[in-house]
Amino acid sequence: YRYSGRWSAAGRGRDLRLFILAIGGVATLVHPVSVFVAILTVALLTSAIVLRRIWISWNYSRRPNPLMGTTLKAVIFDFDGTITDTMPFLSGLAVNLMTENYAISNEEAGRRYLETTGADFGSQIEEIFPQHPRNRGVVATMEASKTRGILGHPLFDEVVPTLMFFKDRNIKRFICSSTQEAIIRQYVSKAGIDDLLDGCFGYRPGFTKGQ
């Protein structure tokens, strides 16, 4: 759901608070205490908005069905780090490949990998090391290692109950990932959750995550 209303909606009241600070700054020409009054007013306004949102969220979460009244038709889940805890494995594998094949430290490799996470690994490597002659071989090694490693990771405990929750409410469920689609399909079949999903989409030539 979204916060609504003049004071609770995201982004509302920001201009007013900036205006109050500006007035407080100008008013220091009359008395220095004006800055304190302006800051105190902004703090009270901000705290009131936060408390209002907390109350709305708490009240909403106590309903028998938190999704009641929404027009939710489908839920799309990421795969790595959402369905299964593969991110440490993938990060470690990527860092090792980068440090072995390029002039880059472990720290820098880890940082650059995480910064570009979300794209397929081929796009990540091309962004980090543009047109490097080793890119193709590194990507091929990564994909082969991913296939062997990902299939051995268990589901998060919350995955099946969550998928069942949405299925019972006739809300469609999908997985969309930058990992190769063939690997995703193998995994969901091996994990026994293919009947809880309406579709799985992953990277394949000509079809990236954003599509």
Side-chain angles (χ1 to χ4, degrees):
Y1 61 92
R2 294 181 179 179
Y3 295 110
S4 59
R6 184 175 181 180
W7 297 105
S8 299
R12 300 293 179 86
R14 185 180 304 136
D15 292 341
L16 174 61
R17 293 192 291 272
L18 290 173
F19 178 71
I20 291 172
L21 288 175
I23 292 297
V26 173
T28 55
L29 296 173
V30 178
H31 198 289
V33 78
S34 301
V35 173
F36 172 76
V37 173
I39 293 174
L40 178 62
T41 303
V42 169
L44 291 173
L45 281 172
T46 303
S47 298
I49 292 171
V50 171
L51 290 173
R52 171 64 177 165
R53 290 178 178 176
I54 291 174
W55 170 258
I56 292 172
S57 300
W58 178 78
N59 188 50
Y60 205 83
S61 67
R62 293 175 64 243
R63 298 180 183 181
N65 183 0
L67 296 174
M68 188 176 296
T70 68
T71 57
L72 187 64
K73 296 181 179 179
V75 178
I76 301 174
F77 298 93
D78 193 10
F79 179 75
D80 298 304
T82 302
I83 299 297
T84 181
D85 190 18
T86 54
M87 285 307 297
F89 162 71
L90 294 176
S91 298
L93 181 59
V95 168
N96 287 338
L97 284 171
M98 283 192 279
T99 54
E100 289 172 2
N101 290 276
Y102 309 97
I104 189 171
S105 66
N106 283 314
E107 293 75 14
E108 180 69 7
R111 184 181 66 81
R112 296 300 303 276
Y113 176 76
L114 293 177
E115 285 178 350
T116 55
T117 295
D120 61 278
F121 187 67
S123 299
Q124 288 180 274
I125 285 295
E126 193 59 39
E127 180 176 339
I128 300 170
F129 308 104
Q131 299 181 340
H132 196 286
R134 293 190 177 182
N135 286 358
R136 182 173 296 182
V138 169
V139 172
T141 302
M142 177 69 168
E143 295 303 331
S145 300
K146 281 171 66 173
T147 303
R148 294 191 298 269
I150 287 178
L151 296 178
H153 283 73
L155 292 168
F156 280 122
D157 293 339
E158 300 87 350
V159 171
V160 172
T162 300
L163 293 176
M164 288 295 299
F165 174 86
F166 290 118
K167 183 177 181 179
D168 291 343
R169 288 157 180 79
N170 295 318
I171 298 170
K172 294 185 180 298
R173 297 130 346 257
F174 299 92
I175 289 177
C176 181
S177 175
S178 57
T179 297
Q180 287 191 22
E181 186 169 309
I183 298 176
I184 302 298
R185 293 186 180 277
Q186 286 182 56
Y187 184 90
V188 299
S189 177
K190 182 175 181 292
I193 59 171
D194 43 352
D195 61 329
L196 297 178
L197 294 165
D198 292 285
C200 294
F201 301 96
Y203 173 78
R204 61 179 186 268
F207 186 80
T208 59
K209 187 175 181 179
Q211 297 173 308

